[in-house]
Amino acid sequence: MQNQKIVIEGGVPLRGDIKIQGAKNSSLPIIAASLLCEGETVIKNCPRISDTYASCRILSHLGCRCNLSGNVLTVSADKKSSCSVSDELMSEMRSSIIYMGALLGSSGECCMTFPGGCELGPRPIDMHIDAMKKLGARVKDEYGIIECSAPHGLKGTKIILSYPSVGTTENIMLAAVKAEGETVISNAAMEPEITDLAEFLNKCGGRIKGAGTGKIVIDGVKKLYGCTYTVMPDRIAAATYISAAAATNGEINILGIDGLLCDSFISVFEQMGCYIYIYDDRVYVNAERPLRSVGKIITMPHPGFPTDAQAVIMAALCKARGSSIFVENIFESRYKQVDALVKMGANIKVSGKTAVVTGVKRLYGSKVSATDLRGGASMIVAGLGADGKTEISDIYHIDRGYENIENIISSLGGKIKRI
Ligand code: UD1
């Protein structure tokens, strides 16, 4: 797997219809949440990506029964026998930190190490730990091993987040849904994936109000029961395929996605000169006209422009007429794709949080390495719009979040294969 590459012959406009995958950033916390439930949890539209497999390995390690068949994941946590997640499993997936809230909420204890490396710069977990302490957990952090326990159970409380962190908001919801009394999260993250997690927990018997706003109120319940739930569509995968259509001056239809979910980035594509039409559960994209640069793109917590869409849209803008400016506010090292794009002929200048992309006439296929999940996807977008052959190595980063990306792009006429 580690040696696989994606090879692209660029220059073919993408055309046709695709169905969008289930959202990674919603399915992973929902899978963790299944630990809190009695009986069987059936998660539909679960993306077949390596982060899902890593989640299943964590659940199996904890003694849960876990079966992924097609896009349906069935979990039973009734025989859960452990509360420790090994270092190896923690490092496989950055979002493994949400097992802190899920295990504390389900068993009142957990033992884990810090989640994997520093793909996007430092990713501290201080807010997660502070929140668990506020809920009454004792947290010991020695030699990189974090031990949490709540011998007298977790107790609802008021938590004001200093920043609307997605992962921290999820961890609090997971820990507090079965805590005693009421928990109020102020300055909560408002991402649609938070709402999806709340809807799942409520379907299992939880009492969570206000998800999707800055104030979430969780009224703790004694028990949760597994249910059947369909994961929301992946808006970042949608942004990626729209970027690929834009980079190739193509015309595609994305099925199975509510256009409202794409609100935070659709206007950027419109400024680029793409025609976007949203109807029912489809997004139609016509990018046949030459692309124009856009003003400033500033990544922000939801409902602002999502940091996860920054790299793929940057790749599409490499050939747009004029200069576009990006300001990355969420993560420190989120311009790792730039070196590869420049190697392909792009004109991008980075200074601290800011990147200026000045459109060039052509990009040229090249040998590049995926640096991280969205950075890797941006190389696919650039490769599809480039002249000649692009070879992308280290594609295990891309497999963390995209289901069948090469087959989907092939179905749109793109010349792409995995070797
Ligand atoms: C989640 C998403 C990720 C997305 C990000 C921002 C998942 C699995 N991942 O990541 O795809 O890019 O939201 O929308 O859903 N911070 C701290 N201390 C903490 C926690 C966070 O300082 O304890 C900082 C981070 O360094 C970062 C910012 O807060 O600068 C945002 O992080 P957060 O919203 O927590 O992102 P993730 O949950 O890691």
Side-chain angles (χ1 to χ4, degrees):
M1 291 290 274
Q2 294 275 338
N3 296 330
Q4 290 185 353
K5 289 180 181 171
I6 282 179
V7 180
I8 300 168
E9 276 294 337
V12 182
L14 300 186
R15 283 186 200 290
D17 296 356
I18 54 171
K19 190 179 170 312
I20 208 69
Q21 68 181 63
K24 170 181 97 75
N25 290 352
S26 149
S27 58
L28 301 180
I30 289 175
I31 296 173
S34 65
L35 275 176
L36 295 154
C37 300
E38 287 180 17
E40 210 167 68
T41 301
V42 180
I43 304 167
K44 293 186 171 172
N45 203 27
C46 189
R48 291 188 75 95
I49 52 178
S50 61
D51 272 9
T52 296
Y53 307 143
S55 303
C56 290
R57 279 194 288 279
I58 293 180
L59 290 181
S60 304
H61 173 84
L62 296 172
C64 304
R65 196 163 48 74
C66 206
N67 175 44
L68 181 64
S69 165
N71 290 102
V72 181
L73 177 65
T74 308
V75 181
S76 165
D78 288 340
K79 299 226 163 78
K80 179 160 67 68
S81 52
S82 165
C83 297
S84 306
V85 186
S86 68
D87 187 38
E88 196 191 336
L89 290 167
M90 283 300 289
S91 60
E92 275 194 50
M93 182 179 61
R94 272 152 244 293
S95 58
S96 50
I97 188 65
I98 43 178
Y99 285 84
M100 183 182 274
L103 282 167
L104 266 174
S106 60
S107 313
E109 58 178 316
C110 70
C111 178
M112 53 180 44
T113 56
F114 280 77
C118 54
E119 178 188 297
L120 312 172
R123 287 182 94 169
I125 57 167
D126 53 319
M127 289 169 64
H128 298 255
I129 290 179
D130 287 350
M132 296 305 122
K133 283 183 181 165
K134 283 227 167 75
L135 286 164
R138 265 190 284 179
V139 182
K140 201 169 98 193
D141 165 13
E142 267 177 12
Y143 312 111
I145 296 173
I146 309 165
E147 279 176 0
C148 307
S149 64
H152 308 297
L154 294 172
K155 298 223 165 39
T157 185
K158 288 192 171 42
I159 301 176
I160 303 170
L161 296 180
S162 55
Y163 183 91
S165 151
V166 177
T168 309
T169 304
E170 290 164 350
N171 244 338
I172 299 171
M173 288 162 71
L174 294 170
V177 65
K178 285 167 74 174
E180 192 190 316
E182 186 182 84
T183 300
V184 180
I185 316 174
S186 300
N187 199 23
M190 300 193 282
E191 269 68 2
E193 292 77 13
I194 299 278
T195 310
D196 212 32
L197 174 62
E199 282 175 7
F200 168 77
L201 288 169
N202 286 345
K203 201 170 177 194
C204 296
R207 286 199 209 133
I208 302 176
K209 284 192 194 139
T213 75
K215 184 179 170 191
I216 300 179
V217 180
I218 304 160
D219 187 9
V221 295
K222 287 227 155 58
K223 288 188 175 190
L224 292 179
Y225 300 94
C227 71
T228 298
Y229 191 79
T230 303
V231 171
M232 65 178 272
D234 195 315
R235 62 197 172 102
I236 306 301
T240 305
Y241 294 115
I242 299 175
S243 298
T248 60
N249 297 114
E251 182 194 16
I252 65 169
N253 242 316
I254 302 184
L255 314 181
I257 185 150
D258 178 349
L260 285 177
L261 277 178
C262 305
D263 259 5
S264 54
F265 55 80
I266 286 276
S267 64
V268 173
F269 289 106
E270 287 174 336
Q271 286 173 53
M272 285 163 78
C274 302
Y275 172 73
I276 311 245
Y277 183 64
I278 294 168
Y279 56 108
D280 298 337
D281 66 340
R282 295 169 171 222
V283 176
Y284 168 77
V285 182
N286 185 319
E288 286 169 325
R289 285 192 293 173
L291 299 180
R292 299 189 296 260
S293 59
V294 297
K296 241 186 201 169
I297 298 181
I298 304 175
T299 66
M300 306 268 262
H302 194 78
F305 180 88
T307 171
D308 282 354
Q310 176 256 105
V312 291
I313 291 183
M314 179 184 281
L317 280 166
C318 287
K319 289 198 306 171
R321 187 160 37 86
S323 293
S324 311
I325 298 171
F326 286 84
V327 180
E328 172 57 59
N329 276 323
I330 312 287
F331 293 109
E332 249 175 54
S333 311
R334 215 162 190 187
Y335 288 134
K336 285 192 166 173
Q337 74 279 7
V338 167
D339 286 352
L341 298 178
V342 168
K343 191 172 176 196
M344 296 173 78
N347 179 353
I348 306 172
K349 300 270 181 294
V350 176
S351 169
K353 287 177 163 192
T354 307
V356 180
V357 183
T358 304
V360 293
K361 282 230 159 59
R362 291 173 190 287
L363 292 178
Y364 300 93
S366 189
K367 285 191 179 176
V368 292
S369 293
T371 44
D372 59 271
L373 167 58
R374 306 300 170 189
S378 80
M379 293 168 207
I380 296 187
V381 171
L384 289 165
D387 292 354
K389 185 162 127 181
T390 296
E391 206 176 285
I392 307 170
S393 56
D394 290 344
I395 57 169
Y396 60 89
H397 287 297
I398 300 171
D399 292 335
R400 284 190 37 232
Y402 292 92
E403 175 172 330
N404 255 332
I405 191 163
E406 69 276 17
N407 292 344
I408 289 178
I409 290 171
S410 296
S411 76
L412 295 172
K415 290 193 182 155
I416 181 169
K417 61 181 182 206
R418 181 183 289 255
I419 57 169

